[in-house]
Amino acid sequence: MTSYLIQQRPRRNRISASIRGLMQENDLHARDLIYPMFVIDGEKKEEPIISMPGISRYSKDLLLEKAREAHLLGIPAIALFPALANEFKDRYATESTNSNGLLQQTVRLLKEELPSLTVITDIAMDPYSSDGHDGLVKNGEILNDETLEILARMAIAQAEAGADIVAPSDMMDGRVAAIRAALDDHGYENVGILSYTAKYASAFYGPFRDALDSAPKSGDKKTYQMDPANVREAIREVLLDEEEGADMVMVKPGMPYLDVVRQVREVAHVPVAVYQVSGEYAMIKAASQNGWLDQERCMMESLLAFKRAGADMILTYFAVEAAKVMQNA
Ligand code: PBG
């Protein structure tokens, strides 16, 4: 035995489950979770996404039932993405502004059947674009201001269908201001904007692009999505988005960018969301399916880490599974 005195014993605060409960600094609730969902045309259709085990594209009737199940588990919101056949895609993402398009029909159905479920719709051209880019492509360039006009029309079509919150994920400059002005002009001042503020040019979006078949046909997204090396730039985007009228800001991806979540939390005056993206989900799923990780514990630990980093809400494909765990806790 050593003879020196141990004056501080942090382990006293970990001595039992009840003491650990008292000491717990951060907590995860079902009400923090947003469930991203993929919709396809047709009826009674389910197409599993191979690179995202447990996640499928559903026709809107089945999606409604899955959304109902999520909402009954205490999940307050879903984020909706349409997977369109190629014949509906063109350079201008024309289908995105069709008031009777797949996404708009689905939003109407959800708001009719589940009025208390918050429906968040994505604003970007990629699911509707034959180029697979978030903006309008001309001679290999992504045109910023021309894209804003399309995004503004997309926002109005989504609000008109009943979207509660629109979420621009395109990273064009000035989009929040353009969308806010368009919404207000059309009487949608109560429709919120969740801005994908610090969205990085990440390799972790791979499975999502499989899900929507939306990978860029040429080039990459580096002239609009952020460089993974940067964090000051994220702060600049936060300040701009707040000034332009964002109601919430987002950091995406999540786990590799927890430092960004923390720094954004320090400067933002609006709530902060984080997106645990498709590749993060796929990693935990694949390792668990191999028996290399304990899925439930890794899932819950990763979600709690977002809360610790400072996120108020989390978009995650684990939403339903995590809510079930919390219900049984
Ligand atoms: C499209 C969009 C993407 C994601 C959400 N909205 C993909 C991309 O930018 O290429 C990714 C989500 C995920 O990987 O789970 N604007």
Side-chain angles (χ1 to χ4, degrees):
M1 284 294 282
T2 48
S3 57
Y4 56 81
L5 189 64
I6 298 178
Q7 288 181 328
Q8 295 284 339
R9 291 188 181 271
R11 288 187 58 195
R12 273 200 292 267
N13 286 354
R14 303 176 201 136
I15 231 158
S16 68
S18 55
I19 287 181
R20 287 193 294 274
L22 289 168
M23 304 304 154
Q24 187 171 331
E25 297 176 33
N26 293 287
D27 213 347
L28 180 71
H29 303 95
R31 66 160 189 271
D32 303 323
L33 304 177
I34 298 169
Y35 190 39
M37 301 184 81
F38 302 106
V39 65
I40 47 173
D41 198 21
E43 249 178 81
K44 302 234 175 324
K45 280 206 339 215
E46 170 174 4
E47 295 174 1
I49 300 159
I50 307 304
S51 50
M52 301 175 73
I55 301 294
S56 295
R57 293 174 283 238
Y58 294 107
S59 55
K60 59 182 185 301
D61 51 336
L62 296 187
L63 185 133
L64 170 66
E65 293 322 308
K66 292 288 163 184
R68 191 192 307 278
E69 181 198 356
H71 199 32
L72 284 171
L73 285 163
I75 294 168
I78 65 165
L80 198 56
F81 299 94
L84 299 182
N86 278 335
E87 64 200 89
F88 290 101
K89 301 186 183 185
D90 64 19
R91 276 192 66 207
Y92 297 96
T94 309
E95 183 63 12
S96 66
T97 58
N98 174 0
S99 60
N100 210 25
L102 173 63
L103 179 92
Q104 284 75 5
Q105 286 181 22
T106 311
V107 174
R108 274 194 203 98
L109 176 70
L110 287 163
K111 290 310 296 182
E112 227 168 76
E113 299 289 326
L114 300 170
S116 64
L117 176 73
T118 289
V119 176
I120 303 175
T121 49
D122 203 77
I123 298 186
M125 288 174 63
D126 55 339
Y128 313 91
S129 155
S130 46
D131 293 306
H133 273 288
D134 295 16
L136 183 61
V137 184
K138 195 171 174 193
N139 303 327
E141 245 183 82
I142 312 296
L143 303 181
N144 194 86
D145 300 14
E146 290 79 350
T147 300
L148 295 186
E149 288 172 32
I150 297 170
L151 300 179
R153 288 206 299 277
M154 205 184 295
I156 293 161
Q158 295 176 354
E160 194 229 342
D164 299 289
I165 295 174
V166 295
S169 69
D170 54 283
M171 289 301 278
M172 296 301 119
D173 292 335
R175 75 257 168 84
V176 172
I179 290 167
R180 187 70 270 158
L183 289 172
D184 290 357
D185 263 2
H186 288 77
Y188 298 116
E189 51 281 301
N190 288 329
V191 171
I193 299 179
L194 164 58
S195 178
Y196 284 68
T197 296
K199 177 172 178 180
Y200 287 86
S202 172
F204 288 95
Y205 307 148
F208 177 97
R209 293 178 189 173
D210 295 344
L212 297 191
D213 188 20
S214 63
K217 298 289 180 290
S218 69
D220 53 40
K221 298 192 175 185
K222 290 180 185 168
T223 69
Y224 47 106
Q225 298 181 348
M226 286 178 43
D227 184 341
N230 296 349
V231 67
R232 285 198 300 271
E233 200 180 347
I235 304 303
R236 183 180 188 204
E237 292 281 3
V238 170
L239 299 178
L240 287 172
D241 277 359
E242 281 194 340
E243 203 176 286
E244 291 180 30
D247 298 287
M248 293 147 276
V249 292
M250 189 199 297
V251 175
K252 174 186 176 190
M255 283 164 68
Y257 295 85
L258 288 178
D259 59 321
V260 182
V261 175
R262 168 48 53 192
Q263 293 199 44
V264 165
R265 162 77 292 149
E266 304 295 338
V267 298
H269 299 99
V270 294
V272 175
V274 64
Y275 200 143
Q276 184 177 47
V277 301
S278 55
E280 302 175 59
Y281 174 84
M283 287 193 299
I284 294 178
K285 274 282 170 187
S288 308
Q289 287 182 341
N290 270 301
W292 298 338
L293 287 176
D294 178 326
Q295 186 196 304
E296 182 175 316
R297 291 181 53 210
C298 289
M299 164 178 85
M300 299 310 282
E301 186 177 329
S302 67
L303 297 174
L304 185 59
F306 294 130
K307 296 294 298 288
R308 190 192 65 237
D312 298 291
M313 61 196 104
I314 306 162
L315 292 95
T316 176
Y317 302 98
F318 283 124
V320 167
E321 285 185 87
K324 283 183 183 159
V325 170
M326 289 186 270
Q327 196 173 49
N328 298 326

